[in-house]
């Protein structure tokens, strides 16, 4: 009935108020909602504003009813959303937007059936885990991008802050592999936001980085969510990590080793220790061997190449190595070939 009224909306300035909204059965909205005749004493423009407000209010009320009944067909929803967008938004934008934000009047179907607020949905799919938190609208409302994106302000892409917030809910994912995959996707998204755009050397550190510094948002080798402390390490040396895997106090970030350097900006900003930089190895026993003179000569000749690469990649490390006499030591370096070497490997107090 309401949508039938909207189809007959007249926008002329000089017209009797009761003829603004003809329904398919000949009745008008004013016949039902304005029995006291007050509109007879106001101008046509004021009457139209009042009528639009009444229709918008009625359509929102109908959405609330459909939500309460857990019902509503696609045709009903499309008709109401289209009317709010195309015919009523210009004059009723504030009230419509407030109603959607307060009442959650966006219906989603399928695997994520329910009713949501604009802040609780996404436009595009973001993977199984994120879709369970922010149902995507695009598959269901492909032709309503203006209403949801431009009118209601739903972003085309979920903000990185929302991705990071989702880490606190990873515990709800039952499968360990699925949990690891979801965590890795979020880590990659966060790392991407820390990568400077073209023409910029650095990026401003976002507020969500504090989550990585203080909260239990790291998934370890046992599938547990842990905080960044002295017992957490980015596992860039899986062979060495295997020596400590039975120690329940230690956590190794459950990432493929190849992803550790790829996530370097996030790990650096969050100050996550690398296993390779934290481990201490000492030779405790080795067989006597013979000096490989050829390889020793090649290493000594290559010292200046090592220095140039280090200077270009890590200038600060180059200066530290220079002051510590590391390059001079390499010129005295000697390569010895032995049958067996025994190492003592320690990680902190372990």
């Amino acid at each position: 009935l309401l949508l039938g009224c909207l189809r007959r909306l007249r926008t002329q300035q000089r017209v009797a108020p009761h003829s603004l909204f003809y329904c398919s059965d000949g009745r008008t909205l004013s016949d039902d909602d304005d029995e006291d005749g007050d509109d007879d004493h106001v101008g046509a423009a004021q009457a139209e504003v009042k009528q639009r407000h009444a229709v918008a209010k009625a359509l929102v009320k109908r959405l609330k009813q459909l939500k309460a009944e857990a019902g509503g067909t696609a045709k009903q929803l499309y008709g109401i959303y289209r009317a709010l967008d195309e015919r009523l938004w210009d004059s009723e934008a504030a009230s419509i937007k407030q109603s959607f934000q307060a009442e959650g009047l966006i219906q989603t179907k399928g695997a994520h059936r329910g009713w949501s607020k604009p802040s609780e949905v996404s436009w595009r799919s973001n993977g199984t885990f994120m879709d369970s938190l922010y149902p995507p609208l695009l598959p269901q409302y492909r032709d309503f991008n203006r209403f949801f994106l431009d009118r209601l302000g739903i972003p085309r892409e979920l903000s990185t802050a929302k991705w990071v917030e989702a880490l606190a809910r990873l515990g709800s994912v039952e499968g360990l592999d699925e949990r690891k995959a979801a965590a890795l996707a979020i880590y990659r998204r966060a790392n991407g936001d820390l990568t400077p755009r073209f023409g910029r050397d650095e990026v401003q550190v976002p507020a969500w980085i504090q989550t990585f510094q203080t909260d239990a948002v790291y998934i370890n080798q046992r599938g547990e969510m842990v905080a960044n402390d002295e017992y957490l390490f980015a596992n860039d040396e899986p062979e060495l990590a295997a020596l400590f895997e039975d120690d329940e106090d230690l956590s190794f970030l459950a990432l493929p080793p190849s992803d550790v350097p790829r996530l370097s900006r996030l790990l650096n900003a969050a100050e996550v220790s690398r296993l390779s930089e934290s481990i201490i190895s000492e030779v405790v026993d080795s067989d006597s061997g013979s000096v490989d003179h050829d390889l020793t000569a090649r290493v000594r000749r290559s010292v200046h190449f090592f220095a140039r690469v280090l200077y270009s990649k890590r200038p600060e490390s180059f200066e530290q190595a220079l002051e510590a006499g590391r390059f001079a030591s390499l010129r005295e370096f000697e390569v010895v070939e032995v049958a067996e070497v025994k190492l003592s490997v320690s990680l902190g107090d372990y």
Side-chain angles (χ1 to χ4, degrees), residues 21-303:
F21 293 92
Y22 280 104
C23 300
S24 56
D25 61 357
R27 294 182 295 107
T28 67
L29 234 171
S30 57
D31 291 337
D32 293 333
D33 297 342
D34 200 17
E35 295 178 0
D36 60 4
D38 286 346
D39 279 351
D40 294 335
H41 306 290
V42 297
Q46 292 176 311
E48 182 176 349
V49 169
K50 188 174 181 179
Q51 294 282 16
R52 286 180 178 275
H53 181 72
V55 173
K57 187 176 181 180
L59 290 177
V60 168
K61 181 179 180 181
R62 181 57 180 149
L63 285 175
K64 293 178 183 179
Q65 292 173 340
L66 293 175
K67 178 181 178 180
E69 298 165 0
T73 65
K75 183 176 181 180
Q76 287 176 310
L77 292 166
Y78 291 171
I80 295 174
Y81 290 156
R82 184 170 285 112
L84 294 175
D85 173 29
E86 297 177 357
R87 307 192 180 198
L88 297 167
W89 189 267
D90 288 346
S91 60
E92 303 298 322
S95 63
I96 294 172
K97 194 167 186 177
Q98 192 279 332
S99 296
F100 274 77
Q101 291 172 338
E103 304 291 342
L105 300 178
I106 303 172
Q107 188 194 61
T108 54
K109 293 188 175 182
H112 312 294
R113 186 178 184 86
W115 292 79
S116 304
K117 301 176 182 179
S119 60
E120 297 171 339
V121 296
S122 63
W123 182 242
R124 296 189 176 94
S125 174
N126 294 283
T128 304
F129 172 62
M130 293 301 294
D131 285 354
S132 70
L133 304 179
Y134 300 97
L137 299 183
L138 179 58
Q140 186 176 346
Y141 298 111
R142 187 174 300 274
D143 297 330
F144 291 82
N145 59 308
R146 183 178 71 170
F147 180 61
F148 290 111
L149 299 177
D150 300 336
R151 305 297 206 195
L152 295 181
I154 297 170
R156 292 183 180 274
E157 302 289 343
L158 277 179
S159 68
T160 301
K162 286 190 174 182
W163 283 75
V164 173
E165 289 173 6
L167 285 168
R169 303 172 69 177
L170 264 181
S172 63
V173 180
E174 294 184 2
L176 178 57
D177 290 340
E178 290 79 4
R179 200 179 311 157
K180 289 180 178 179
L184 179 57
I186 297 174
Y187 298 154
R188 287 173 174 168
R189 173 62 181 262
N191 188 77
D193 263 25
L194 294 171
T195 303
R197 299 297 181 260
F198 181 76
R200 297 184 179 181
D201 295 330
E202 294 295 335
V203 297
Q204 184 176 359
V205 178
W208 50 254
I209 199 63
Q210 186 175 0
T211 300
F212 286 98
Q213 294 171 338
T214 61
D215 296 355
V217 294
Y218 299 95
I219 186 167
N220 68 11
Q221 73 275 23
R222 295 179 292 274
E224 303 163 341
M225 301 304 295
V226 299
N228 180 20
D229 56 23
E230 59 183 312
Y231 303 109
L232 175 70
F233 302 92
N235 186 8
D236 55 350
E237 293 285 355
E239 296 83 1
L240 295 178
L243 300 174
F244 303 93
E245 62 183 7
D246 294 331
D247 197 312
E248 296 183 357
D249 291 334
L250 296 176
S251 289
F252 301 108
L253 196 53
L255 299 175
S258 59
D259 271 291
V260 174
R262 294 171 185 166
L263 298 176
S264 60
R265 290 189 177 276
L266 173 61
L267 297 176
N268 290 342
E271 300 179 351
V272 177
S273 301
R274 270 64 157 190
L275 179 60
S276 61
E277 298 174 356
S278 305
I279 210 90
I280 297 177
S281 300
E282 296 178 344
V283 177
V284 295
D285 188 20
S286 65
D287 297 334
S288 59
S290 58
V291 176
D292 187 327
H293 296 286
D294 179 60
L295 188 54
T296 295
R298 290 169 62 186
V299 170
R300 293 177 178 180
R301 289 196 304 268
S302 302
V303 171

